[in-house]
Amino acid sequence: MLRLQLEQFSDRSDIRSLVVYLAIPRADGKPALMPAGHWPPQRMALPPVEEDESLLLPSEQRRWLPLRHQSTLLGALRVELAGSAWPANLHPRLQAAAQVLTEALLLDLEHQRLSEQLERQQQQLRLLVHQMRNPLAALRTFAQLLKRRLEGDPENRALVENLLVEGQQLHRYIEAIDGLTDPAALQAGPQSSGPLLLPPSLQSGNAAPLQERIEPLLQRAAATAALQGRPWQGPSSLPDWRGDSSAVAEILANLLENAFRYSPEGTSVGLHTAMTSGGSPRLTVWDGGGAISPDEREAIFGRGIRGERGQALPGTGLGLALARDLARSMGGELSLLCPPNLAASDLPDAGNAFLLELPPSASA
């Protein structure tokens, strides 16, 4: 860009040379003008302005155009004429070139600032991930020791086994966070038109039985309901379905978390499952709380959008957006139905139901 801006004056025989300088801060805080480009091209490197005493003297053939943003000097454009008379039509062109160079410098400085900020954030992220692994490993070790001591207590032993399962899931998230520090891991594939929905370490892409992923979620939901003192209604059976079960588990985990978080205390929460005649699962996470208002039922699927009943609670408004995007990426759909019996006739006639419809099972 710098070369093109200078070469545009090659039609002017009345210009002897053009030089662009960058204002580089010195130790004393004052800027030093360092040459960054010149026209016509020459092999000799140009010295800084303060090292060329001839540039400090006034000259009728020389003009300086500052490259300035507000009160900050970014650089300068030096123009040397071949003659002594300045053409009237030359100054507007020089001013336009100086403006373009100033804007380019601003963009370059902003790029440098953002790059440095990103690098600092990545360093902090790597440090946090490193530190998180230590307590997670300790928790896993303590859970394994506790599991051994509960050899003859199957009920409490199952709770510890669930802790180990959740710890493994947390480990996967930590590894996914660690992958965010690798720019190559974030590059979408050539066919992708948007950002990754999940980090690569959480996206299997392989067909796997859904039951293996849903069972831990059901156990977590039952434990949450018991702690909150509310009824929990799990499915009577689980779909015999194969596909991207990791993505389905992410969707259901978000929906169940929302149900327990946003529905009033004491109201029921449940997961209902069914299969269509074509072999497509219908998974419904429902709650018996007050129905979401009609004007919010589609808006809450937008990124960063939260409904009225969630305004006083912590959250980012990303869960439903992620869930719907994941569903659609698999060829399915996620929708909100009020009341739940619109999703299945044996569900309550009051409350909210998030219906996840999946495509038929993938080949084994």
Side-chain angles (χ1 to χ4, degrees), residues 95-278:
Q95 285 282 24
Q99 181 64 34
V100 171
L101 293 171
T102 300
E103 295 294 334
L105 281 174
L106 286 173
L107 290 175
D108 186 64
L109 290 173
E110 180 67 8
H111 177 267
Q112 293 181 30
R113 185 188 69 82
L114 292 176
S115 296
E116 292 171 359
Q117 180 181 6
L118 179 60
E119 177 59 28
R120 288 194 299 269
Q121 291 176 344
Q122 288 180 336
Q123 290 177 358
Q124 293 172 354
L125 193 60
R126 285 190 288 266
L127 177 61
L128 287 174
V129 168
H130 178 270
Q131 295 302 100
M132 288 171 65
R133 285 195 176 102
N134 294 330
L136 181 60
L139 289 174
R140 185 166 55 246
T141 299
F142 290 141
Q144 290 171 342
L145 291 174
L146 184 58
K147 180 181 176 182
R148 292 180 184 177
R149 295 187 181 185
L150 296 173
E151 192 70 38
D153 188 349
E155 183 176 354
N156 289 322
R157 182 182 171 89
L159 293 177
V160 179
E161 290 174 345
N162 289 337
L163 285 177
L164 290 170
V165 170
E166 296 294 340
Q168 182 60 31
Q169 179 70 358
L170 183 58
H171 175 73
R172 294 175 66 233
Y173 279 113
I174 291 177
E175 292 302 312
I177 295 173
D178 194 26
L180 296 178
T181 62
D182 179 13
L186 298 179
Q187 293 179 359
Q191 304 300 322
S192 177
S193 60
L196 295 175
L197 299 177
L198 289 176
S201 61
L202 296 180
Q203 288 183 307
S204 65
N206 299 322
L210 182 59
Q211 296 181 7
E212 297 177 3
R213 293 294 187 185
I214 289 186
E215 283 288 359
L217 293 178
L218 297 178
Q219 295 170 2
R220 184 199 303 179
T224 302
L227 288 174
Q228 294 183 359
R230 70 164 80 216
W232 158 254
Q233 297 185 27
S236 57
S237 61
L238 294 177
D240 183 15
W241 183 86
R242 293 180 62 88
D244 193 350
S245 299
S246 295
V248 176
E250 293 293 333
I251 297 172
L252 293 178
N254 276 308
L255 297 178
L256 287 168
E257 180 183 359
N258 285 350
F260 282 111
R261 177 183 295 181
Y262 298 126
S263 61
E265 295 183 6
T267 56
S268 299
V269 172
L271 173 64
H272 180 276
T273 64
M275 295 288 288
T276 67
S277 58

Side-chain angles (χ1 to χ4, degrees), residues 22 33 42 60 63 82 85 97 113 164 187 245 277 290 300 312 320:
L22 300 182
L33 292 178
Q42 61 182 55
E60 291 293 331
R63 291 290 187 275
R113 185 188 69 82
L164 290 170
Q187 293 179 359
S245 299
S277 58
I300 57 176
L320 287 177

Side-chain angles (χ1 to χ4, degrees), residues 37-73:
H38 47 79
W39 177 89
Q42 61 182 55
R43 294 182 179 180
M44 293 180 58
L46 296 177
V49 170
E50 53 265 31
E51 294 181 12
D52 188 345
E53 295 183 357
S54 65
L55 298 179
L56 303 178
L57 300 175
S59 172
E60 291 293 331
Q61 288 79 36
R62 181 180 304 123
R63 291 290 187 275
W64 292 89
L65 283 80
L67 308 180
R68 186 186 301 277
H69 175 66
Q70 298 177 354
S71 61
T72 303
L73 181 66

